[in-house]
């Protein structure tokens, strides 16, 4: 908990799909949650490369409210250095209820699979696994090598949810934001939060 707020960790690493991360962050903040954010060096580059300078880490909160609306101010956010292994979320004693790594690079996936804990993303993920809390890993790569597939199995066996960046098309998305909404909704569900980011399946395509 951060004050009265429930805390959730989000890590952004250097796999394609920055918009999945920003939509997830906005949705968590809109719920009034406290977000413990870690961005790897390549995650920082990803934000700028895919969403522009306005989405650089230092400007992320204004970027989120500009793109997704001022409701994001219901929540709060702490940005941690990925080099700070003394951060609160590096310890199981910190009451962070879950963590999403979105998007998750194959490098970070490998590190989580093997419990390396070399930086804060890897350590916070390791804490989630050892404390049996929710860890949602959103990998993005195609095609995948056998080591990458095996690393996903290792993470799943350790208790993580593997939630690939694979938006569906049966909701008839019209924009990139529709695709991002779908992925963010899946991530929120996996973290145990209700949402209305995509319409419930009604049994037929387009049946809204
Ligand atoms: C433009 C660009 C796109 C990339 N896309 C991916 C990707 O989709 N998936 C992936 O696993 N790695 C991707 N990479 C490689 C990772 O960023 C790289 O392995 C990096 O070391 C990951 O480090 P991190 O996990 O600490 O962020 C990409 C790199 C660049 C520069």
């Amino acid at each position: 908990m951060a004050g009265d707020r429930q805390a959730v960790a989000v890590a952004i690493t250097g796999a394609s799909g920055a918009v999945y991360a920003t939509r997830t962050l906005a949705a968590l903040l809109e719920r009034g949650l406290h977000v413990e954010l870690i961005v790897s060096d390549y995650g920082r580059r990803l934000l700028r490369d895919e969403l522009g300078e306005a989405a650089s880490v230092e400007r992320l909160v204004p970027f989120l409210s500009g793109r997704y609306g001022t409701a994001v101010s219901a929540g709060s956010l702490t940005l941690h250095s990925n080099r700070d292994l003394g951060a609160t979320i590096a310890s199981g004693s910190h009451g962070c209820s879950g963590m999403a790594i979105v998007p998750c690079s194959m490098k970070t996936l490998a590190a989580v699979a093997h419990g390396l804990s070399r930086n804060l993303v890897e350590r916070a993920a390791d804490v989630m696994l050892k404390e049996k809390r929710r860890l949602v890993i959103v990998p993005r790569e195609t095609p995948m090598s056998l080591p990458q597939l095996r690393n996903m199995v290792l993470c799943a066996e350790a208790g993580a949810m593997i939630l690939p960046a694979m938006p569906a098309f049966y909701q008839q998305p019209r924009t990139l934001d529709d695709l991002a909404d779908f992925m963010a909704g899946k991530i929120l569900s996996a973290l145990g939060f209700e949402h209305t980011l995509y319409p419930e399946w009604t049994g037929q395509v387009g049946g809204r």
Side-chain angles (χ1 to χ4, degrees):
M1 303 279 281
D4 287 343
R5 298 178 197 274
Q6 184 178 349
V8 183
V10 173
I12 302 174
T13 68
S16 188
V19 72
Y20 299 139
T22 56
R23 189 65 192 97
T24 300
L25 284 172
L28 293 170
L29 293 170
E30 285 162 11
R31 292 189 58 83
L33 294 162
H34 181 73
V35 175
E36 309 274 2
L37 178 65
I38 323 157
V39 187
S40 71
D41 288 347
Y42 274 86
R44 286 172 179 262
R45 174 174 169 172
L46 172 84
L47 287 167
R48 292 195 312 271
D49 284 356
E50 294 192 351
L51 298 173
E53 283 300 322
S56 63
V57 172
E58 292 70 25
R59 303 188 212 166
L60 204 48
V61 172
F63 173 83
L64 294 175
S65 59
R67 180 161 178 152
Y68 301 108
T70 52
V72 299
S73 61
S76 54
L77 185 148
T78 299
L79 175 65
H80 297 281
S81 163
N82 199 22
R83 291 169 181 75
D84 184 8
L85 288 167
T88 49
I89 53 174
S91 169
S93 64
H94 183 263
C96 196
S97 66
M99 175 176 182
I101 309 178
V102 53
C104 184
S105 75
M106 296 299 101
K107 182 193 117 183
T108 292
L109 171 75
V112 175
H114 294 278
L116 299 186
S117 284
R118 294 166 303 183
N119 57 41
L120 188 58
V121 175
E122 297 171 9
R123 171 62 188 169
D126 212 26
V127 167
M128 292 296 130
L129 293 178
K130 82 182 179 72
E131 300 291 335
K132 309 285 183 211
R133 298 186 196 150
R134 294 176 199 248
L135 175 61
V136 181
I137 296 176
V138 185
R140 206 233 62 101
E141 189 50 277
T142 194
M144 286 191 178
S145 67
L146 187 57
Q148 292 164 349
L149 293 166
R150 286 196 169 127
N151 286 334
M152 287 196 287
V153 171
L154 283 172
C155 288
E157 286 174 343
M161 178 180 286
I162 301 295
L163 200 157
M166 289 182 187
F169 289 82
Y170 54 77
Q171 310 282 7
Q172 300 194 322
R174 293 185 190 92
T175 65
L176 292 181
D177 280 329
D178 289 343
L179 297 174
D181 284 357
F182 182 85
M183 286 307 306
K186 286 285 182 180
I187 294 165
L188 259 72
S189 295
L191 289 170
F193 301 117
E194 292 179 358
H195 63 85
T196 55
L197 284 158
Y198 53 79
E200 213 171 296
W201 173 243
T202 60
Q204 55 185 8
V205 172
R208 292 174 182 239

